[in-house]
Protein backbone atom coordinates (compact mmCIF):
# COMPACT_ATOMS: atom_id res chain seq x y z
CA UNK A 1 0.00 0.00 0.00
CA UNK A 2 1.35 3.40 -1.00
CA UNK A 3 1.70 5.81 1.91
CA UNK A 4 2.95 9.37 2.04
CA UNK A 5 3.34 11.18 5.35
CA UNK A 6 4.41 14.80 5.79
CA UNK A 7 5.80 16.43 8.90
CA UNK A 8 7.62 19.55 9.99
CA UNK A 9 4.95 22.21 9.73
CA UNK A 10 4.87 24.82 12.48
CA UNK A 11 4.15 28.42 13.43
CA UNK A 12 7.07 30.56 12.34
CA UNK A 13 7.75 34.29 12.23
CA UNK A 14 8.11 36.18 8.95
CA UNK A 15 11.61 35.69 7.62
CA UNK A 16 11.96 32.37 9.38
CA UNK A 17 12.77 28.91 8.07
CA UNK A 18 11.49 25.35 8.32
CA UNK A 19 12.29 21.99 6.83
CA UNK A 20 9.34 19.90 5.77
CA UNK A 21 9.71 16.14 5.40
CA UNK A 22 7.73 13.55 3.48
CA UNK A 23 8.21 9.87 4.26
CA UNK A 24 7.06 7.50 1.53
CA UNK A 25 6.48 3.77 1.44
CA UNK A 26 4.81 1.10 -0.65
CA UNK A 27 6.52 1.90 -3.95
CA UNK A 28 10.00 2.18 -5.45
CA UNK A 29 10.65 5.73 -4.30
CA UNK A 30 13.62 6.44 -6.55
CA UNK A 31 11.60 5.62 -9.66
CA UNK A 32 9.14 8.47 -9.27
CA UNK A 33 9.22 12.24 -9.31
CA UNK A 34 7.76 13.77 -6.17
CA UNK A 35 6.09 17.11 -5.72
CA UNK A 36 5.00 19.63 -3.12
CA UNK A 37 1.63 21.33 -3.54
CA UNK A 38 0.23 23.87 -1.10
CA UNK A 39 -3.20 25.16 -0.21
CA UNK A 40 -3.70 28.42 1.63
CA UNK A 41 -6.62 28.49 4.08
CA UNK A 42 -9.90 28.47 2.16
CA UNK A 43 -8.08 28.68 -1.19
CA UNK A 44 -7.25 26.39 -4.10
CA UNK A 45 -4.26 24.21 -4.89
CA UNK A 46 -0.91 25.69 -5.91
CA UNK A 47 2.00 23.65 -7.24
CA UNK A 48 5.23 24.53 -5.40
CA UNK A 49 8.07 22.25 -6.49
CA UNK A 50 8.98 18.92 -8.09
CA UNK A 51 12.07 16.75 -8.02
CA UNK A 52 12.82 13.91 -10.41
CA UNK A 53 13.28 10.37 -9.13
CA UNK A 54 17.05 10.48 -9.31
CA UNK A 55 17.16 13.94 -7.80
CA UNK A 56 18.94 15.29 -10.86
CA UNK A 57 16.22 17.72 -11.86
CA UNK A 58 14.35 20.25 -9.77
CA UNK A 59 11.54 22.63 -10.62
CA UNK A 60 10.02 25.53 -8.71
CA UNK A 61 7.06 27.85 -8.95
CA UNK A 62 8.10 31.46 -9.49
CA UNK A 63 6.49 32.40 -6.17
CA UNK A 64 9.03 30.31 -4.22
CA UNK A 65 12.09 30.28 -6.46
CA UNK A 66 15.21 31.30 -4.58
CA UNK A 67 13.56 30.79 -1.18
CA UNK A 68 12.55 27.11 -1.19
CA UNK A 69 14.78 24.11 -1.89
CA UNK A 70 13.52 20.62 -2.67
CA UNK A 71 15.68 17.57 -2.02
CA UNK A 72 15.34 13.85 -1.48
CA UNK A 73 17.14 10.95 0.16
CA UNK A 74 16.34 7.85 -1.87
CA UNK A 75 18.08 5.62 0.67
CA UNK A 76 15.56 6.81 3.28
CA UNK A 77 12.55 7.16 0.94
CA UNK A 78 12.14 10.74 2.08
CA UNK A 79 11.43 14.01 0.30
CA UNK A 80 12.26 17.37 1.83
CA UNK A 81 11.34 21.00 1.33
CA UNK A 82 13.55 23.63 2.93
CA UNK A 83 11.51 26.81 3.20
CA UNK A 84 13.40 30.03 3.92
CA UNK A 85 12.55 33.73 4.08
CA UNK A 86 8.97 32.87 4.87
CA UNK A 87 6.21 35.37 4.21
CA UNK A 88 2.64 35.61 5.42
CA UNK A 89 1.46 34.48 2.00
CA UNK A 90 3.34 31.18 2.43
CA UNK A 91 0.85 30.19 5.12
CA UNK A 92 -0.75 26.99 3.84
CA UNK A 93 -1.11 23.27 4.18
CA UNK A 94 1.79 21.72 2.31
CA UNK A 95 1.07 18.40 0.61
CA UNK A 96 3.61 15.93 -0.67
CA UNK A 97 2.47 13.92 -3.67
CA UNK A 98 3.78 11.14 -5.87
CA UNK A 99 3.79 11.65 -9.61
CA UNK A 100 2.28 9.00 -11.84
CA UNK A 101 4.63 6.96 -13.99
CA UNK A 102 6.20 9.17 -16.61
CA UNK A 103 5.10 12.79 -16.52
CA UNK A 104 1.58 12.53 -15.28
CA UNK A 105 -0.68 13.74 -12.55
CA UNK A 106 -0.37 13.21 -8.81
CA UNK A 107 -1.73 9.84 -7.78
CA UNK A 108 -0.95 9.64 -4.08
CA UNK A 109 -1.02 12.50 -1.59
CA UNK A 110 -0.13 12.83 2.04
CA UNK A 111 -2.46 14.35 4.61
CA UNK A 112 -0.52 17.61 4.60
CA UNK A 113 1.43 19.64 7.14
CA UNK A 114 0.43 23.17 8.16
CA UNK A 115 2.87 26.05 7.91
CA UNK A 116 1.71 29.26 9.55
CA UNK A 117 3.75 32.41 9.09
CA UNK A 118 2.82 35.05 11.63
CA UNK A 119 4.40 37.33 14.19
CA UNK B 1 1.46 29.87 -17.85
CA UNK B 2 -1.47 27.68 -18.78
CA UNK B 3 -4.60 28.97 -17.04
CA UNK B 4 -7.32 26.50 -16.09
CA UNK B 5 -10.83 27.89 -15.64
CA UNK B 6 -13.53 25.82 -13.96
CA UNK B 7 -17.26 26.40 -14.06
CA UNK B 8 -19.49 26.78 -12.26
CA UNK B 9 -17.93 27.81 -8.97
CA UNK B 10 -20.75 26.08 -7.12
CA UNK B 11 -23.09 23.38 -8.45
CA UNK B 12 -26.20 22.33 -6.56
CA UNK B 13 -27.53 18.89 -7.49
CA UNK B 14 -29.86 16.41 -5.81
CA UNK B 15 -28.66 12.95 -4.82
CA UNK B 16 -29.23 10.44 -7.60
CA UNK B 17 -29.03 13.07 -10.31
CA UNK B 18 -26.22 13.73 -12.78
CA UNK B 19 -23.58 16.39 -12.21
CA UNK B 20 -21.52 17.95 -14.99
CA UNK B 21 -18.43 19.99 -14.14
CA UNK B 22 -16.44 21.94 -16.71
CA UNK B 23 -12.82 22.97 -17.07
CA UNK B 24 -11.26 25.04 -19.84
CA UNK B 25 -7.57 25.37 -20.65
CA UNK B 26 -6.14 28.64 -21.96
CA UNK B 27 -4.22 26.73 -24.63
CA UNK B 28 -3.97 23.22 -26.00
CA UNK B 29 -2.98 20.63 -23.41
CA UNK B 30 -3.76 17.52 -25.45
CA UNK B 31 -5.25 14.99 -23.00
CA UNK B 32 -2.91 15.94 -20.17
CA UNK B 33 -5.70 16.72 -17.74
CA UNK B 34 -6.53 15.28 -14.34
CA UNK B 35 -9.48 15.68 -11.99
CA UNK B 36 -9.24 15.56 -8.21
CA UNK B 37 -11.81 15.35 -5.45
CA UNK B 38 -11.19 17.03 -2.10
CA UNK B 39 -13.33 16.71 1.00
CA UNK B 40 -13.03 19.07 4.00
CA UNK B 41 -9.89 18.42 6.00
CA UNK B 42 -8.62 15.83 3.55
CA UNK B 43 -6.01 15.70 0.83
CA UNK B 44 -7.04 15.72 -2.82
CA UNK B 45 -7.72 12.34 -4.40
CA UNK B 46 -6.99 11.57 -8.03
CA UNK B 47 -10.15 10.64 -9.91
CA UNK B 48 -9.35 10.92 -13.60
CA UNK B 49 -6.15 11.25 -15.61
CA UNK B 50 -5.48 11.47 -19.31
CA UNK B 51 -8.78 13.40 -19.46
CA UNK B 52 -10.86 10.21 -19.38
CA UNK B 53 -9.10 7.34 -17.56
CA UNK B 54 -10.36 6.52 -14.08
CA UNK B 55 -7.72 6.17 -11.40
CA UNK B 56 -7.42 3.00 -9.36
CA UNK B 57 -10.47 2.34 -7.22
CA UNK B 58 -12.62 5.12 -8.69
CA UNK B 59 -16.20 3.95 -9.33
CA UNK B 60 -17.56 3.97 -12.89
CA UNK B 61 -20.11 6.68 -12.12
CA UNK B 62 -17.20 9.11 -12.56
CA UNK B 63 -16.27 9.80 -16.16
CA UNK B 64 -14.20 12.38 -18.00
CA UNK B 65 -14.28 13.68 -21.53
CA UNK B 66 -12.54 16.25 -23.68
CA UNK B 67 -13.21 18.41 -26.70
CA UNK B 68 -10.31 20.60 -27.71
CA UNK B 69 -9.49 22.73 -24.69
CA UNK B 70 -12.79 21.97 -22.95
CA UNK B 71 -12.92 19.18 -20.41
CA UNK B 72 -15.85 17.69 -18.53
CA UNK B 73 -16.19 15.58 -15.41
CA UNK B 74 -19.52 13.80 -15.17
CA UNK B 75 -20.85 12.03 -12.11
CA UNK B 76 -23.74 9.95 -13.35
CA UNK B 77 -25.76 9.33 -10.18
CA UNK B 78 -24.67 11.37 -7.21
CA UNK B 79 -24.06 9.60 -3.95
CA UNK B 80 -23.87 11.39 -0.61
CA UNK B 81 -20.10 10.91 -0.50
CA UNK B 82 -19.65 12.72 -3.83
CA UNK B 83 -20.50 16.15 -2.46
CA UNK B 84 -17.08 17.79 -2.28
CA UNK B 85 -14.70 20.16 -4.05
CA UNK B 86 -13.41 19.19 -7.48
CA UNK B 87 -10.28 20.50 -9.16
CA UNK B 88 -8.95 20.07 -12.65
CA UNK B 89 -5.21 20.15 -13.29
CA UNK B 90 -3.11 20.29 -16.43
CA UNK B 91 0.19 18.45 -16.66
CA UNK B 92 0.93 19.20 -20.30
CA UNK B 93 3.56 21.65 -19.07
CA UNK B 94 4.96 19.07 -16.63
CA UNK B 95 5.82 19.58 -13.88
CA UNK B 96 4.61 23.18 -13.84
CA UNK B 97 1.18 21.97 -12.88
CA UNK B 98 -1.66 24.45 -12.82
CA UNK B 99 -5.00 23.83 -11.19
CA UNK B 100 -8.42 25.27 -11.78
CA UNK B 101 -9.95 27.29 -8.97
CA UNK B 102 -12.32 24.45 -8.08
CA UNK B 103 -16.02 23.64 -8.26
CA UNK B 104 -17.95 23.02 -5.07
CA UNK B 105 -20.56 20.32 -5.57
CA UNK B 106 -23.27 20.77 -2.97
CA UNK B 107 -26.51 19.04 -2.11
CA UNK B 108 -29.60 20.68 -3.55
Amino acid sequence: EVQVLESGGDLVQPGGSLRLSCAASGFTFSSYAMSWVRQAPGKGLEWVSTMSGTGGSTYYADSVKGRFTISRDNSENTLYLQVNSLRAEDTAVYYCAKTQVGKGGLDYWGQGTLVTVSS
Amino acid sequence: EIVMTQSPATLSVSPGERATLSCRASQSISSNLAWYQQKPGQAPRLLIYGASTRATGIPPRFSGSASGTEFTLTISSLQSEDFALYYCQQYNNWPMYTFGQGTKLEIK
Side-chain angles (χ1 to χ4, degrees):
Chain A
E1 179 191 4
V2 172
Q3 292 192 335
V4 175
L5 183 63
E6 305 93 336
S7 61
D10 204 348
L11 170 63
V12 62
Q13 292 188 340
S17 298
L18 283 174
R19 188 173 83 156
L20 308 182
S21 299
C22 169
S25 61
F27 63 101
T28 304
F29 184 69
S30 60
S31 295
Y32 294 90
M34 297 290 293
S35 298
W36 291 96
V37 175
R38 68 183 180 183
Q39 186 170 36
K43 301 298 184 182
L45 301 168
E46 179 189 16
W47 170 74
V48 172
S49 183
T50 297
M51 176 169 261
S52 62
T54 62
S57 298
T58 58
Y59 309 85
Y60 298 95
D62 288 343
S63 58
V64 307
K65 202 172 293 183
R67 300 188 298 123
F68 290 11
T69 303
I70 192 171
S71 62
R72 64 194 294 160
D73 182 341
N74 285 346
S75 67
E76 295 291 333
N77 291 353
T78 303
L79 180 75
Y80 300 100
L81 187 69
Q82 178 69 39
V83 296
N84 298 331
S85 303
L86 283 163
R87 307 165 180 167
E89 55 265 35
D90 295 318
T91 294
V93 174
Y94 285 72
Y95 294 103
C96 170
K98 170 186 169 291
T99 302
Q100 289 182 292
V101 63
K103 298 179 177 180
L106 301 168
D107 55 359
Y108 291 94
W109 298 60
Q111 88 294 343
T113 188
L114 177 61
V115 173
T116 303
V117 184
S118 175
S119 54
Chain B
E1 176 183 308
I2 301 174
V3 177
M4 307 302 292
T5 303
Q6 291 186 242
S7 61
T10 303
L11 182 62
S12 299
V13 183
S14 299
E17 293 191 340
R18 175 188 299 256
T20 302
L21 290 68
S22 297
C23 175
R24 174 184 295 175
S26 61
Q27 63 189 74
S28 174
I29 59 169
S30 187
S31 296
N32 297 313
L33 188 282
W35 289 95
Y36 299 86
Q37 177 193 68
Q38 188 179 33
K39 297 180 180 179
Q42 296 185 18
R45 177 175 71 145
L46 178 66
L47 298 175
I48 300 284
Y49 62 94
S52 61
T53 302
R54 280 189 302 278
T56 302
I58 302 304
R61 65 179 182 273
F62 290 90
S63 64
S65 63
S67 177
T69 58
E70 301 275 351
F71 299 86
T72 301
L73 174 69
T74 301
I75 311 171
S76 59
S77 178
L78 281 164
Q79 308 296 303
S80 58
E81 62 267 29
D82 299 335
F83 293 96
L85 264 170
Y86 290 84
Y87 292 95
C88 63
Q89 174 215 37
Q90 68 79 22
Y91 51 91
N92 192 67
N93 192 22
W94 189 92
M96 283 67 164
Y97 300 116
T98 49
F99 295 87
Q101 78 279 20
T103 291
K104 181 181 180 182
L105 180 57
E106 65 176 26
I107 300 174
K108 185 175 182 180

